[in-house]
């Protein structure tokens, strides 16, 4: 009897322990207060009117517990912010930094603001409010072209009308441009100078705009491709030769283009063979020690990223 009682007690204890373990495994941790914290408000809201779109952009840092952003708009309101009746027009995904609104009328004032929404549906404070009044936009600039200068690239285009300003857009990828131009402020002139990119093609397009606080931009101009492989230097000038006993030293003026990589020296010792490559110096000088007892005739070319200039004038030396 005593052994049976002991066995029963042990079985009861084991059963209680097992139940405790099962209930413990199924128990959920209570939600933390952090999940219900108010998200940060979006900041730096900006807007531009481009062709048939109003493009909004903003900044945001912490997105871990974010569901997305509410875009709110008030249309046809007065000048006072408190008079604006904002309505939600969309919820964009949490990774977004921009939204394009295509449902608007020109000559109507719109106000926008952004609100962040957490996974627990807690809303942030409002972002700053941006005001836009889209106006009819000017046409695209025409006849866009470029000139590779000595140390810079010059881009030019035709006028899009009176009191029109311009923004220049640049991209390493054909047909893909951001919303920010490379010029710090809209420019009035139809000429822009940019630095060289000598390792790969670069693409440009120009947009005309009304220079007001709403940045009303028109359509893009035709795209131009600036390919350094197409750059051709001017031919070298000032070629001269000095005979110095057992050698000939030839020199010339340095090419004005900063993108010239080297020079090619061509030498002719007889008419049958003509000019042959004798050397490729990177500085505007070359020393020739190949003495043949015949007249040497030299010509020089400058070499750009890919292409070669025309021949310089010739210089002859009895050597």
């Amino acid at each position: 009897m005593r052994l049976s009682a002991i066995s029963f007690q042990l079985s009861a204890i084991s059963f209680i322990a097992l139940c405790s373990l099962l209930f413990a495994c199924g128990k959920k941790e209570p939600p933390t207060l952090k999940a219900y914290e108010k998200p940060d408000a979006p900041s730096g809201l900006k807007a531009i009117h481009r062709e048939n779109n109003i493009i909004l952009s903003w900044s945001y840092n912490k997105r871990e517990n974010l569901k997305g952003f509410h875009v709110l708009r008030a249309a046809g309101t007065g000048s006072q912010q408190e008079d604006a009746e904002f309505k939600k027009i969309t919820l964009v995904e949490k990774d977004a930094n921009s939204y394009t609104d295509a449902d608007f009328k020109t000559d109507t004032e719109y106000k926008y603001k952004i609100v962040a929404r957490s996974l627990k549906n807690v809303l942030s404070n409002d972002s700053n409010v941006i005001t836009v009044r889209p106006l009819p936009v000017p046409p695209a600039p025409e006849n866009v072209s470029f000139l590779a200068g000595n140390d810079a690239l010059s881009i030019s285009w035709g006028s899009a009308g009176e009191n029109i300003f311009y923004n220049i857009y640049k991209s390493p990828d054909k047909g893909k441009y951001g919303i920010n131009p490379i010029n710090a402020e809209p420019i009035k002139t139809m000429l822009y100078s940019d630095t060289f990119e000598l390792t790969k093609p670069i693409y440009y397009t120009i947009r005309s705009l009304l220079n007001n606080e709403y940045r009303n931009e028109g359509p893009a101009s035709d795209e131009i491709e600036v390919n350094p492989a197409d750059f051709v230097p001017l031919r070298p000038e000032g070629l001269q030769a000095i005979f110095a006993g057992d050698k000939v030293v030839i020199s010339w003026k340095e090419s004005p283009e900063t993108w010239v990589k080297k020079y090619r020296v061509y030498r002719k010792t007889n008419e049958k063979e003509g000019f042959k490559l004798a050397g490729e110096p990177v500085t505007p000088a070359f020393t020739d020690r190949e003495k043949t007892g015949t007249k040497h005739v030299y010509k020089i070319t400058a070499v750009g990223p890919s292409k070669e200039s025309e021949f310089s004038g010739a210089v002859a030396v009895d050597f």
Side-chain angles (χ1 to χ4, degrees), residues 147-151 196 198 227-237 252-264 300-312:
L147 177 65
N150 295 341
D151 57 1
F196 280 121
L198 297 176
N227 191 341
D230 297 331
F231 291 3
V232 180
L234 297 173
R235 72 174 196 167
E237 299 288 347
W252 55 94
K253 292 181 180 179
E254 184 176 15
S255 293
E257 300 96 344
T258 58
W259 40 270
V260 165
K261 291 186 172 182
K262 60 184 177 181
Y263 303 91
R264 287 180 179 154
I300 313 297
T301 64
V303 182
S306 178
K307 293 190 175 182
E308 193 173 0
S309 73
E310 296 180 356
F311 280 119
S312 69

Side-chain angles (χ1 to χ4, degrees), residues 41 45 57 83-84 99 124 177 191 202 219 221 245-247 255 261 267 279 288 291 297 303 317 319:
L45 178 61
S57 62
D83 295 335
Y99 173 73
S124 73
Y177 298 90
L191 181 67
I202 295 294
S221 69
D246 62 343
K247 61 185 177 182
S255 293
K261 291 186 172 182
R267 177 182 58 215
D288 189 6
K291 190 172 183 179
V297 182
V303 182
V317 179
F319 187 34

Side-chain angles (χ1 to χ4, degrees), residues 63-280:
R63 301 174 189 250
E64 293 81 3
N65 297 316
L66 210 62
K67 179 178 288 186
F69 299 96
H70 286 292
V71 180
L72 297 95
R73 185 182 77 175
T77 61
S79 58
Q80 297 299 318
Q81 180 177 328
E82 55 269 20
D83 295 335
E85 183 182 350
F86 283 93
K87 297 180 180 179
K88 296 176 184 177
I89 58 176
T90 190
L91 174 69
V92 297
E93 59 185 17
K94 70 173 187 177
D95 294 327
N97 283 319
S98 64
Y99 173 73
T100 299
D101 186 7
D103 183 18
F104 63 90
K105 298 178 181 179
T106 56
D107 287 317
T108 300
E109 186 175 276
Y110 297 90
K111 287 182 171 64
Y112 294 90
K113 64 182 178 180
I114 311 295
V115 175
R117 181 178 178 180
S118 75
L119 291 172
K120 297 297 183 181
N121 297 320
V122 180
L123 300 179
S124 73
N125 291 332
D126 297 345
S127 71
N128 59 298
V129 175
I130 191 76
T131 303
V132 184
R133 186 182 178 189
L135 299 174
V137 294
E142 297 182 346
N143 303 319
V144 182
S145 62
F146 76 91
L147 177 65
N150 295 341
D151 57 1
L153 188 74
S154 295
I155 304 169
S156 60
W157 56 92
S159 173
E162 295 184 2
N163 300 317
I164 299 299
F165 287 71
Y166 304 93
N167 280 334
I168 298 90
Y169 294 87
K170 176 181 179 180
S171 174
D173 301 313
K174 183 177 178 63
K176 296 180 180 179
Y177 298 90
I179 62 173
N180 295 317
I182 58 175
N183 47 298
E185 297 291 339
I187 62 175
K188 181 69 173 176
T189 60
M190 288 158 285
L191 181 67
Y192 184 80
S193 180
D194 195 19
T195 55
F196 280 121
E197 171 58 66
L198 297 176
T199 60
K200 58 186 177 181
I202 295 294
Y203 302 89
Y204 292 87
T205 189
I206 317 295
R207 290 181 184 269
S208 52
L209 71 152
L210 305 176
N211 189 31
N212 55 28
E213 58 182 312
Y214 306 117
R215 188 175 160 188
N216 290 277
E217 276 191 342
S221 69
D222 291 339
E223 182 178 61
I224 59 170
E225 178 188 31
V226 179
N227 191 341
D230 297 331
F231 291 3
V232 180
L234 297 173
R235 72 174 196 167
E237 299 288 347
L239 182 63
Q240 58 183 354
I242 300 175
F243 178 62
D246 62 343
K247 61 185 177 182
V248 172
V249 179
I250 58 175
S251 62
W252 55 94
K253 292 181 180 179
E254 184 176 15
S255 293
E257 300 96 344
T258 58
W259 40 270
V260 165
K261 291 186 172 182
K262 60 184 177 181
Y263 303 91
R264 287 180 179 154
V265 179
Y266 293 88
R267 177 182 58 215
K268 181 175 73 173
T269 56
N270 61 72
E271 293 297 333
K272 182 179 180 180
E273 294 184 356
F275 284 94
K276 292 185 176 181
L277 183 65
E280 293 185 318

